[in-house]
Amino acid sequence: MKKGTNPMNEKKNQETTPKIPVITKIEAQKRSERYNIYLDGEYAFPIDEAILVKYVLHKGMEVTKSFQKELETEDGLRKAYNRALNYLNYGLRSEKEVRDDLVKHEFTIETVMSVIEKLKEQKYIDDLVYGESYTRTGANIGGKGPIVIKQELKRKGLDDATIVKALEQYPFEQMVENGVAIGAKVLRRTSEHSSRETRHKVQQTLMQKGFSSEVISIVLENIDTVKDDEDEYEALKKQGEKLWRKNERIKGFKKIQKVKTSLFQKGFAGDLINQFIEEKELEEDE
C-alpha cells in the first residue's frame, strides 16, 4: 500500500463515482432502419441505422450522458432531414413550406434550421426555382393573372425580390392571351345577360383572376361584349320572364315597376324594357 493512502477513502470514492450506463440490447423496430437502444436493461432512446453504423454502437459499449445527447441530437437531425426529403419528393416546395412541415411534426427550431440550411446547400430548396416553376404553372395551366400569382407566392414565403424575378417567367403577351381566353369563356356563359352586364362580368372575372387594369383594357378591345339588337332582346326576355314569374303575386303598376327596375339594373336599355312590358301586358289582356 502506498504511503498516505487510506483504503477506506478509495472504497468510498469508488462508491460515489457515477457508473456509466452500458448498452445491453439493440432492438430493431418495425419501421425500417430504426433501432431501440437499451442501457443497463432499460429502454433509453431510438436511433437510425446510419448513426448506429457510424458510431459502431454495440452491446457492452459505455454511453455517457453527453454521448447519448449527441446521438439523440444527430438522430433528430436525420429524422427531420428524411422527413423533409419525403415531403420534397411530392414536388417542389418553398423554404417556408418545408420549415412549416417540420415544425408541424414537432422538430425543434434548431433542428429545423439546420436541416433547411443543408437542403439549401444541396439545392433541394431554392425559392427562385420554386417561384419560377409556380409562375409558369399558374400562367400555362391555371390561367391565373400575375397579381394572384404574386399573392400566392407571398403566402408561400418568398421575398419580394424573388417574386419579381420569378414573375419574369410570365410575359405580357401571354397575360393578354390568357385574358382573352378567359373573356371568351365568360361570353359563352352570358347569353342571358345584357351587353353592359356581360362587359362587367368579363372585367370582374379578370380582376378576380389577378389581371391588371392595363391587361383588362386590352382584352376588352379584343373581344366583342356588345350583342346585336336581336340577341340583346332575347337576353332581356329570358331575364324578364323569370322576373315576371317571381313577382306574380304582385299586381298592376307595382309589379311593372319592380320588373322594370330589375331589368334596368341588369343593364338593359329603357326602350327594350318598355317593349317587353307592353308584350306582357298584351298577353295578360288576352
Side-chain angles (χ1 to χ4, degrees), residues 126-143:
D126 188 321
D127 275 358
L128 178 56
V129 172
Y130 174 85
E132 290 177 337
S133 176
Y134 193 96
T135 298
R136 288 192 297 270
T137 299
N140 297 334
I141 299 175

Side-chain angles (χ1 to χ4, degrees), residues 46-265:
I47 207 77
D48 189 89
E49 185 177 60
I51 300 173
L52 186 79
V53 172
K54 175 181 176 180
Y55 289 94
V56 198
L57 301 183
H58 58 275
K59 288 176 66 175
M61 185 178 185
E62 293 183 338
V63 178
T64 63
K65 286 185 178 181
S66 61
F67 183 41
Q68 180 178 340
K69 185 177 181 180
E70 180 183 344
L71 291 172
E72 290 177 330
T73 298
E74 189 165 342
D75 185 62
L77 284 168
R78 187 165 184 84
K79 282 174 66 179
Y81 179 74
N82 288 337
R83 167 68 206 176
L85 287 182
N86 182 63
Y87 186 55
L88 288 163
N89 190 48
Y90 292 94
L92 287 175
R93 309 282 186 179
S94 69
E95 179 181 333
K96 181 181 183 297
E97 287 179 310
V98 177
R99 183 171 60 250
D100 289 349
D101 182 73
L102 292 175
V103 170
K104 184 179 74 174
H105 285 82
E106 301 183 347
F107 291 104
T108 66
I109 296 299
E110 293 78 10
T111 295
V112 171
M113 297 314 297
S114 294
V115 169
I116 291 292
E117 287 306 310
K118 182 177 180 179
L119 292 169
K120 287 168 70 175
E121 289 172 5
Q122 296 173 326
K123 299 300 182 183
Y124 288 131
I125 294 177
D126 188 321
D127 275 358
L128 178 56
V129 172
Y130 174 85
E132 290 177 337
S133 176
Y134 193 96
T135 298
R136 288 192 297 270
T137 299
N140 297 334
I141 299 175
K144 298 176 181 178
I147 297 172
V148 164
I149 294 174
K150 179 180 179 179
Q151 292 170 342
E152 292 175 348
L153 290 176
K154 193 75 174 175
R155 287 196 293 270
K156 300 290 186 181
L158 276 66
D159 60 52
D160 292 339
T162 302
I163 292 173
V164 169
K165 188 70 176 174
L167 286 173
E168 291 178 4
Q169 299 294 310
Y170 200 165
F172 188 81
E173 294 76 13
Q174 188 177 8
M175 294 178 198
V176 173
E177 288 176 8
N178 285 348
V180 169
I182 292 168
K185 288 181 181 179
V186 174
L187 290 180
R188 291 196 290 270
R189 299 194 301 267
T190 55
S191 61
E192 295 185 10
H193 297 91
S194 66
S195 296
R196 192 177 78 182
E197 192 171 17
T198 297
R199 182 181 179 86
H200 176 70
K201 283 189 175 296
V202 171
Q203 287 178 306
Q204 189 177 44
T205 301
L206 291 173
M207 286 178 65
Q208 291 172 344
K209 285 280 189 179
F211 291 93
S212 67
S213 56
E214 182 182 4
V215 170
I216 293 172
S217 296
I218 295 173
V219 169
L220 290 172
E221 291 174 2
N222 283 273
I223 61 175
D224 188 6
T225 59
V226 180
K227 294 179 170 66
D228 59 34
D229 291 344
E230 185 178 341
D231 288 340
E232 185 84 353
Y233 189 62
E234 283 302 312
L236 184 150
K237 285 173 64 177
K238 289 177 182 178
Q239 296 278 358
E241 292 293 349
K242 290 179 183 178
L243 290 167
W244 200 264
R245 289 193 298 271
K246 182 180 178 182
N247 294 284
E248 62 183 353
R249 293 182 181 179
I250 305 172
K251 303 298 180 182
F253 179 77
K254 189 174 181 181
K255 177 179 182 179
I256 290 171
Q257 284 303 109
K258 200 170 183 64
V259 172
K260 275 187 173 183
T261 300
S262 296
L263 289 172
F264 183 77
Q265 289 173 342

